[in-house]
Amino acid sequence: MASSRLETRSAPPAILRAASAEFQDLRQLVFRRHPEREWASFAWFGWRGTPSGLVVTLAALEPPRPGEVDEGYDHVRIHASYSSRIALAAERHRLAAGLVHSHPAGSEPHPSAIDDDMDAYYADYFGGFAPDRPYASLILGEIDGVTVLSGRVHWRGRWHAVRHAAIERDPAVEVWPDGDRPAPAPIPPERVARFTSAFGKEAHQRLRRSTVAVIGAGGTGSAAIPILARAGVGRIIVADSDRVSESNLERMHGSRPEHAANAVPKALLAYEHVHGIDPTVVVEAYIGRLPQKEIVDAVATADVVLGCTDQQHSRWALSDVSTRYLVPAIDSGGLIESRGGIVTGQIAQLVRFLSSDPCVRCRGMVDPARVEIELLSEEERARRNAAAGVGPSAAAGVGPSGRPGPADIPPIDTVGYITTVMGTMAAGYAIGWLTGRFDAPFERMQMNFVAECLDVTDRKQHRKPGCACGRLRGWADQGADEAPIAAPDHWPPVERVMLPGA
C-alpha cells in the first residue's frame, strides 16, 4: 500500500483518549451514511505534550449544520461555511479543532491522497486562526464488524501518528497506525491458561497492550500490582512518595524486614515485585505523587488508573485527572471503627471515576481544610501547632500539652486483609474494563466486613450544578487553570527508580 505524503515516522506517537458517550456519539454521527458512503464532523480536542509523545482527548463534537457537508458525493466534501465557522470559533476557544470522517465498510482506514490534501490544508488553515495548537485528524471504519481507526495530529510542525486509543471501557476498538493493519497479537503463554480459559485468548492479548497506573504502592496498591502483573497487563505505572517502614510490614505485599530497615522506596519494591513475577512487563516506577507534572504525564497515558492511597489530596487529584484526561479510575479506601475496645465496623470502599461521574467534591469525599493540612510542609505544620499552643503530633512525640495539634492528621486504622481485599477487587474490575468482559457494577460501593451479608451498598450521587467537573470533561491541560490543587513547592522532585543494571 502506498504510504501517506504526510510523514509521521520521525515524530513521537500520539495517544487518543475518548469517553464512552462521546465516542459512541461520534461513531453514530460519522457513520450516518454507512456502509457505502462517507461522512464527517469537526470536533474539539484537549491535549498534553509528554516526554513520550502527545495525548489528545476528545472533548466535544461540532456536527455539521444542514448544507455544511455536501450530500451529493459519496466521499466527504466540506463547504467553506463549515470550515470558517470552526476556525472563527477556534480563535475564542481554548481547545484544538480536528476533523473526523468515516470510510466505507470494509475499507482500511488508510488516508487517501484526498485525505492528505485535506489534512495539509486544515493544519495550515486552523494554525492561522489558533497558532501553536494541534490539528487532529481521525478516520473511522468498520472491518469484519470491528470499529477500526487511524489518526494523526499536526503539532509544532510535525505529524504525530495515533499509535494507541484509550476509549473508555471499550477495548474492542482497534487502532491501525497510519491506516495499516497491526501485526497479529502473540499467542498467550501457558502460564495464563486458566485466565484464557475463563476470559478467552483475546482478553489476554488486550491486557498485554494495556497500561494501568497505580497511585500508591502500600497495602492496597501492593495487593493490586501483582494481580495485574500475573494477569498479563503489559505496562504498569507505579507512583508512591513513601518508603517502607516497620509498620507497613503487616499490610504490604512483597515486603520483608530488611526493606523497612533500609527504608526502601515503595515504588522500587513494587518494581522488584513485578520483575520477579514477569520480567517482560514494562514497569515505570516513580517516587512522587499526584499532581506532580511527571506523574500526570505518566498517568495520562494509562488505560485505567487505580487510586490506592488514604490521602485526600491524592484522591482529589485522581478525580481531576479522570475528568480532564478521560482516564477511567477506581479509587479505594478502608478503615476500622471501634467502640469500647470492640470492632464495630471494618469498612471498605471502591469508587468509580468515569468522565461522566461526579467528582470528589460533588460526592463529599474530601474536606478542603484537611487537604490544606495534608499539603503543608513539616515547618508550616509545626508553626501552626505552636501558634495554637499545643505540642507536635503523637507520631513525633506528644508535647507538653499532651494533645495533637490542629495541623496534625491522625492515621487511618486499617489492616492487611482489608487492604488486600480492596486491592485485589480494584485490580479485578480494572481487568474487566481492559478486556471488555465485565463492567464495575457500582458507582460508590461500600461494605462492612463485620456486618450481616457485608452490608453492601452503592451510593449513587449526582454532580452539583455549576461544578467544574461538568465543564472540563476532556479538556486536558486546557482546563488546568481550574485544577483543584497544585503540587506544593516543598515536595521533593519526582524520581524515576530502576532496578540495578536496568
Side-chain angles (χ1 to χ4, degrees):
M1 177 178 294
S3 62
S4 166
R5 291 188 291 105
L6 304 183
E7 174 60 48
T8 61
R9 287 173 294 182
S10 63
I15 294 175
L16 170 69
R17 310 200 64 90
S20 179
E22 278 77 11
F23 188 79
Q24 292 308 316
D25 288 346
L26 174 65
R27 186 183 181 282
Q28 185 174 29
L29 174 61
V30 299
F31 282 171
R32 186 172 73 82
R33 303 198 303 173
H34 205 62
E36 297 179 355
R37 306 173 76 191
E38 300 180 3
W39 196 246
S41 175
F42 284 111
W44 297 107
F45 295 85
W47 75 94
R48 181 184 183 89
T50 75
S52 60
L54 182 65
V55 176
V56 291
T57 52
L58 176 62
L61 305 181
E62 195 70 62
R65 295 170 182 170
E68 289 186 330
V69 178
D70 200 321
E71 296 267 11
Y73 293 81
D74 290 344
H75 62 271
V76 173
R77 185 175 182 182
I78 297 172
H79 288 170
S81 58
Y82 192 14
S83 303
S84 61
R85 175 165 69 86
I86 301 304
L88 292 172
E91 284 188 310
R92 306 183 300 272
H93 213 297
R94 293 191 227 173
L95 300 177
L99 182 71
V100 187
H101 75 280
S102 61
H103 276 187
S107 299
E108 295 180 346
H110 193 281
S112 66
I114 294 175
D115 296 335
D116 286 347
D117 290 339
M118 179 177 63
D119 284 346
Y121 170 77
Y122 277 132
D124 181 67
Y125 179 68
F126 289 124
F129 286 85
D132 202 36
R133 295 189 201 174
Y135 161 74
S137 173
L138 304 178
I139 300 173
L140 295 188
E142 189 175 86
I143 295 179
D144 298 328
V146 176
T147 299
V148 299
L149 69 83
S150 69
R152 54 194 174 192
V153 185
H154 187 264
W155 191 44
R156 296 180 176 174
R158 294 199 290 178
W159 286 97
H160 303 256
V162 173
R163 304 287 181 191
H164 181 69
I167 311 301
E168 189 179 77
R169 299 184 299 170
D170 190 356
V173 177
E174 290 186 3
V175 175
W176 289 35
D178 296 313
D180 299 329
R181 184 186 293 270
I187 301 299
E190 179 61 27
R191 66 180 182 80
V192 293
R194 293 288 184 93
F195 180 89
T196 56
S197 176
F199 288 80
K201 292 181 179 180
E202 185 183 50
H204 179 267
Q205 292 165 339
R206 289 175 177 175
L207 286 182
R208 209 62 185 169
R209 296 191 297 267
S210 298
T211 297
V212 180
V214 182
I215 308 302
T220 305
S222 69
I225 290 166
I227 295 293
L228 299 168
R230 293 184 190 280
V233 171
R235 176 170 168 249
I236 300 175
I237 298 165
V238 180
D240 196 305
S241 62
D242 201 5
R243 294 174 179 268
V244 181
S245 65
E246 190 170 354
S247 65
N248 299 139
L249 299 178
E250 184 269 339
R251 300 182 303 281
M252 195 167 174
H253 291 253
S255 65
R256 300 189 301 272
E258 58 266 31
H259 293 133
N262 295 320
V264 173
K266 292 180 179 179
L268 177 57
L269 181 56
Y271 192 142
E272 293 175 338
H273 199 172
V274 173
H275 191 265
I277 293 170
D278 184 354
T280 67
V281 176
V282 176
V283 183
E284 293 181 20
Y286 299 90
I287 302 175
R289 63 186 93 175
L290 283 175
Q292 288 178 294
K293 177 185 180 301
E294 295 86 349
I295 306 304
V296 177
D297 282 344
V299 171
T301 69
D303 297 286
V304 176
V305 58
L306 302 183
C308 299
T309 80
D310 59 5
Q311 299 292 302
Q312 291 196 7
H313 71 264
S314 178
R315 190 163 285 129
W316 202 349
L318 175 69
S319 171
D320 177 61
V321 165
S322 296
T323 296
R324 291 195 289 122
Y325 298 100
L326 308 178
V327 187
I330 297 174
D331 182 72
S332 55
L335 65 103
I336 292 180
E337 298 173 339
S338 62
R339 185 182 302 112
I342 302 298
V343 172
T344 58
Q346 298 182 22
I347 312 300
Q349 174 176 267
L350 295 176
V351 185
R352 184 193 73 182
F353 285 119
L354 302 177
S355 60
S356 58
D357 287 331
C359 69
V360 290
R361 284 295 302 276
C362 293
R363 285 169 155 159
M365 292 175 60
V366 297
D367 176 2
R370 170 167 172 162
V371 171
E372 180 185 3
I373 292 172
E374 288 181 353
L375 298 178
L376 293 175
S377 67
E378 292 301 323
E379 293 77 10
E380 291 169 328
R381 195 167 295 180
R383 283 198 297 271
R384 287 201 182 190
N385 289 342
V390 297
S393 68
V398 175
S401 69
R403 294 182 290 116
D408 294 316
I409 299 174
I412 295 176
D413 289 329
T414 189
V415 293
Y417 63 85
I418 294 180
T419 57
T420 295
V421 169
M422 289 190 299
T424 54
M425 289 182 68
Y429 287 122
I431 289 168
W433 281 349
L434 294 169
T435 60
R437 294 302 189 254
F438 60 92
D439 199 1
F442 59 83
E443 293 180 16
R444 184 179 180 182
M445 179 173 64
Q446 296 173 333
M447 65 185 77
N448 184 349
F449 293 156
V450 294
E452 185 176 356
C453 296
L454 303 182
D455 193 24
V456 179
T457 183
D458 185 10
R459 296 183 59 189
K460 297 183 183 295
Q461 297 170 294
H462 301 284
R463 179 176 288 119
K464 292 182 178 179
C467 182
C469 68
R471 292 184 278 106
L472 301 179
R473 292 177 57 195
W475 277 51
D477 283 6
Q478 290 59 61
D481 60 336
E482 296 189 59
I485 60 173
D489 293 337
H490 65 80
W491 281 2
V494 173
E495 178 184 353
R496 185 169 176 178
V497 296
M498 306 286 288
L499 292 179

